[in-house]
Every structure is written in structure tokens, then in C-alpha cells.
Amino acid sequence: ESNIHDCQKETFLELKCPSRNVAGVLCGYDCEDGDVRLVGGTTKNEGTVEVCFHNLWGLIEEAGWRDEDAEIVCKQLGYEVEAVVASVGSYYGKPNKTVHLTMVQCTGDEERINECTQTSYSLEKGKNKLKTVEVAGVKCYVSNE
């Protein structure tokens, strides 16, 4: 089927439905696990870090976020960086997305952020975390700035 209305279904007149019987749809994005992008900055080389996990863009909690971690993001995005600044406190904003990762710890030898030591959250826990945590950002200083 190409339309949900084309699916075979059964309609119930009773409107009281327990939460354990409610279904939803979560659409994925065209990204691969470990992909990163920056959003919310004034230039393309700064912003809140979004990371792809299970084909969904999400966020990195600021806990433990350091310049070494930010440098891997900049390298992964293809920047030849002269310097980086790891920003905390949701400096570039906090998009309404789930928090995928926390306690990211990179050594500097990694090529991609998902190669760093990290703790991941379930989709449900990550969505709940969004309300109570701040998220990581980065500014990649490149040679023409």
C-alpha cells in the first residue's frame, strides 16, 4: 500500500483505549548510524551536534563533552580544523529531538563520533532526557576564518 487508508483495518467505536494498545509511526531519515551534522549555528561550521542513530537524527547530552569530542565531529564533517570549541548549555539551541548519546569520550584518533566511547539511550529514555538536560555543540575554526 502507498497510503495508510489503503491498509486493511478494523474500526472500533469504543474511544477509551489503554495506552498499551496505542500505536504510532516514527519516520526515519536518510542517514546512517554515526553520521553527524550541525544545526542552529550562524555558519555551516558551528551548531548543535546532531548524530544519526537507528536512522533517526538526535542529540548528544553535554555531560562530559570536551574539545577532543568536538574535534572528531569537525574532522568527520571534513573540516581541516585549526581549533575547535566544544559548547555546552545548548548554546546553539536544543532541537525537539531525542537525546541519543551521553558521556562521549574521544581520544582524538577516531574518524567518526560513533567510534568514541559513549553511552546510548533508548528512544523513550532519550526523549524524556530532552526535558532535563542540555545538549552539545561545536564550532570548527577553519583556515579561512
Side-chain angles (χ1 to χ4, degrees):
E1 297 88 358
S2 61
N3 187 310
I4 196 162
H5 298 293
D6 297 334
C7 299
Q8 187 176 16
K9 61 188 169 286
E10 191 174 335
T11 305
F12 298 95
L13 296 177
E14 177 64 42
L15 297 177
K16 294 179 184 171
C17 186
S19 61
R20 70 179 181 277
N21 293 342
V22 175
V25 176
L26 185 59
C27 298
Y29 298 98
D30 188 20
C31 63
E32 295 184 21
D33 284 3
D35 286 353
V36 292
R37 66 183 182 186
L38 302 178
V39 299
T42 56
T43 65
K44 65 181 182 171
N45 53 306
E46 67 179 7
T48 297
V49 179
E50 290 192 353
V51 61
C52 183
F53 192 63
H54 294 303
N55 300 104
L56 294 171
W57 287 107
L59 306 167
I60 298 175
E61 182 180 349
E62 71 173 6
W65 188 246
R66 306 165 302 143
D67 288 345
E68 293 87 348
D69 313 319
E71 184 174 356
I72 299 303
V73 170
C74 294
K75 286 186 348 186
Q76 185 175 340
L77 290 170
Y79 294 116
E80 292 185 31
V81 295
E82 293 185 353
V84 299
V85 172
S87 61
V88 294
S90 302
Y91 182 81
Y92 295 102
K94 185 161 62 167
N96 188 22
K97 296 196 167 133
T98 189
V99 178
H100 285 320
L101 303 176
T102 188
M103 296 307 296
V104 174
Q105 298 288 299
C106 302
T107 64
D109 296 326
E110 300 87 353
E111 297 291 321
R112 296 172 57 82
I113 197 75
N114 61 335
E115 295 171 6
C116 302
T117 301
Q118 61 194 261
T119 300
S120 60
Y121 290 126
S122 68
L123 187 60
E124 182 179 353
K125 186 170 184 176
K127 199 64 174 170
N128 290 334
K129 279 281 188 184
L130 183 64
K131 302 169 197 162
T132 60
V133 302
E134 300 300 328
V135 297
V138 65
K139 179 161 184 146
C140 309
Y141 287 93
V142 294
S143 57
N144 61 356
E145 286 192 344

